[in-house]
Amino acid sequence: MPYSLTDTLLYFFIYSFCGWLMETILCSVQERRFINRGFLNGPLCPIYGCGVTLIMIFLLPVRDGLSNLAIALPVVFIAGAGLASAVEFITSWLMEKLFHARWWDYSHYKYNLGGYVCIPFSALWGVGAALTLRFIHPLIHMVISRVPALAGQIILIAGLVILAMDFISVLGVVFQVQKYNTRVEELA
């Protein structure tokens, strides 16, 4: 792993926030009103944090090991598209099985797999992986590398506590809604 556990988890939070911000802006512009995207109440989409963290762990060594940019970028694009699509597929499938709901559905796109993933978005994830590893992550790494270790650990612990509280509160609401829906179905 190219980074310490603390740095890796800080990257998870940064990219979870960036994913939330990107999705919230895109959906809010489309709907012409504020849309809080994601599963959680707070400003995080953990699927982005997981996806980029896995891309960092597996593809930074690939990128750094290939000195020829003309080879490295396509390899990162293809591998990034595959890795991000796998994360997206597993996450969507699990959330549907656990919560009986879909947070996204690509069924109306050509070449989709169960509506969980589709080729156009997989290609976007590949472009995102290549751009992130080439341009965005080096800038974020420069900032994170200047954060004192103790400060990073304090920020991380606070972030993990807040994330856990948010996740637990959302799960409570989801299970209450499921319980209510079961009662309504029994009465019908």
Side-chain angles (χ1 to χ4, degrees), residues 149-172:
L150 181 60
Q153 291 168 350
I154 291 169
I155 292 167
L156 179 60
I157 290 168
L160 288 169
V161 168
I162 292 167
L163 176 63
M165 290 174 16
D166 192 352
F167 190 75
I168 290 167
S169 72
V170 167
L171 283 180

Side-chain angles (χ1 to χ4, degrees), residues 30-42:
Q30 287 175 340
E31 296 291 323
R32 294 187 177 136
R33 63 182 177 88
F34 178 76
I35 304 289
N36 182 16
R37 285 293 295 168
F39 176 72
L40 301 172
N41 293 313

Side-chain angles (χ1 to χ4, degrees), residues 173-187:
V173 170
V174 167
F175 290 132
Q176 287 297 326
V177 168
Q178 285 179 343
K179 193 175 175 182
Y180 174 79
N181 287 342
T182 301
R183 287 184 189 159
V184 169
E185 287 174 10
E186 289 172 356
L187 293 173

Side-chain angles (χ1 to χ4, degrees), residues 70-136:
I71 295 172
L73 280 177
V75 168
V76 169
F77 168 83
I78 292 167
L83 194 55
S85 295
V87 168
E88 187 173 39
F89 182 90
I90 291 166
T91 301
S92 184
W93 182 83
L94 277 173
M95 289 179 80
E96 183 177 16
K97 297 304 174 204
L98 291 172
F99 306 118
H100 310 290
R102 280 195 175 198
W103 274 258
W104 61 90
D105 186 358
Y106 298 128
S107 295
H108 58 285
Y109 285 91
K110 250 184 167 181
Y111 310 113
N112 73 79
L113 185 57
Y116 300 122
V117 294
C118 67
I119 289 178
F121 274 88
S122 295
L124 284 174
W125 303 141
V127 169
L131 290 174
T132 297
L133 290 187
R134 180 79 175 139
F135 300 108
I136 298 167

